[in-house]
Amino acid sequence: MIFPAHCKYVGMVTGTPCGNRAYFLSRYLIRETADGPEVLEVETDPEGTGLMRRVLSTRVLAAGDEVYRYPDRVNVHDRTFLLGAALRSGHRCTIFSGHDGQTTFVLDPDPSGFLRIHVYDITPPRPHLSATLQDLEGTGLFGDLEVVFEHHVRDIREIEADVYPCRVAGFARTLDADQVQPSDRVAGCLTARDLVRECYGEEITVENTCPLEVVADEPFIARCCRSERGGLGRWNGKFGAVVHWGASPRDIAEAVVRVTAAWRDRDGKGSGC
């Protein structure tokens, strides 16, 4: 796969006003032809000076029916989206145009070089960790990390409990608003279990809803309301990061960066610790 690290390495060719020279940062050129765009790899003179450098060699990477131009303007820093769109295009090479006129491309798309991070969360209400990651991903924030997220969001309504954790999720009966009866089945996390035991004793069954309890793949990032569990570590034998229930977008982004770096430091073969 060829996927330029940054759009600044990709230039557009519409003529030769400077002769056989190209911008000094250019590693690839997209040139319009009668048969459509073609993508070139270009080598400029490393000993040259100035903005425009003499072209030493060019190589056609894709042309004709191999090339597809994505119809919409995109965020060129959202590399996960670009890779997915290139895979779906069915062409060897997909060219993308950015909102500000930048250009990049993906040739022979292959997701194997992207790190898959497993995300564990629950709903309702809004799965804060999962939803925030999708919001951040759309900004291109994780573009240079080259990661993809696989979301495992448990719908706690499937538990069919009598009492659920909190009223904000819209349940009829919740721990923060209603009295629990001895025969009730309660859905909640470790904190909910502690609350039930403190207020109602040991007899009431609490179905654990904590996302950490279902971690089954690594590396992962999961949400938990217990601050002492936060940070990098292992859970269910798997390595990952735990963020607090109400973690800020910055905290979540930093957790992704940390777990990615730790995992890759061990080449994905160990805990990353």
Side-chain angles (χ1 to χ4, degrees):
M1 178 173 71
I2 297 179
F3 191 172
H6 197 283
C7 58
K8 66 184 178 183
Y9 300 123
V10 183
M12 296 292 295
V13 178
T14 56
T16 56
C18 295
N20 187 37
R21 291 188 291 174
Y23 190 61
F24 76 106
L25 285 178
S26 296
R27 302 292 179 267
Y28 307 97
L29 296 175
I30 296 174
R31 180 168 60 191
E32 296 294 339
T33 73
D35 296 323
E38 64 179 11
V39 180
L40 308 173
E41 185 176 51
V42 60
E43 179 187 6
T44 57
D45 187 355
E47 304 299 324
T49 59
L51 296 178
M52 306 300 290
R53 308 283 175 87
R54 182 167 60 95
V55 174
L56 301 180
S57 65
T58 61
R59 178 169 68 102
V60 177
L61 298 177
D65 292 340
E66 296 178 315
V67 181
Y68 171 72
R69 187 183 293 278
Y70 193 77
D72 303 318
R73 291 189 178 272
V74 299
N75 180 350
V76 295
H77 299 292
D78 187 354
R79 294 173 67 83
T80 303
F81 170 81
L82 299 184
L83 177 61
L87 285 166
R88 292 188 296 271
S89 77
H91 292 73
R92 280 195 64 223
C93 182
T94 302
I95 298 172
F96 298 94
S97 296
H99 297 296
D100 297 319
Q102 317 98 315
T103 302
T104 191
F105 66 90
V106 182
L107 177 70
D108 297 324
D110 179 6
S112 64
F114 278 55
L115 176 63
R116 184 173 299 275
I117 298 177
H118 296 269
V119 180
Y120 292 92
D121 207 346
I122 66 169
T123 190
R126 178 179 183 266
H128 175 67
L129 171 61
S130 175
T132 300
L133 282 172
Q134 292 179 67
D135 291 343
L136 294 174
E137 192 175 27
T139 70
L141 182 63
F142 303 124
D144 60 332
L145 295 182
E146 297 196 339
V147 297
V148 293
F149 299 104
E150 183 170 332
H151 298 262
H152 309 271
V153 180
R154 182 187 185 188
D155 189 335
I156 63 173
R157 289 171 293 196
E158 296 175 356
I159 298 173
E160 296 184 353
D162 300 300
V163 181
Y164 285 89
C166 61
R167 74 191 84 177
V168 71
F171 292 111
R173 296 177 61 208
T174 59
L175 278 176
D176 64 342
D178 299 283
Q179 189 83 11
V180 176
Q181 304 301 319
S183 60
D184 283 337
R185 186 184 187 201
V186 178
C189 63
L190 181 60
T191 298
R193 187 194 66 185
D194 290 345
L195 178 64
V196 168
R197 287 180 176 175
E198 183 176 324
C199 296
Y200 305 104
E202 301 280 346
E203 294 77 20
I204 295 174
T205 300
V206 178
E207 176 77 21
N208 199 335
T209 61
C210 180
L212 273 178
E213 295 300 319
V214 295
V215 166
D217 294 285
E218 60 183 349
F220 74 85
I221 180 169
R223 189 162 62 122
C224 180
C225 67
R226 306 295 281 242
S227 298
E228 66 271 18
R229 291 178 169 182
L232 297 180
R234 299 188 73 84
W235 195 264
N236 293 345
K238 307 298 182 181
F239 175 74
V242 180
V243 298
H244 192 262
W245 205 251
S248 70
R250 178 174 179 173
D251 291 338
I252 291 171
E254 289 177 349
V256 172
V257 172
R258 291 181 64 203
V259 75
T260 300
W263 184 261
R264 284 180 169 149
D265 280 347
R266 295 288 300 271
D267 294 324
K269 297 178 181 178
S271 71
C273 294

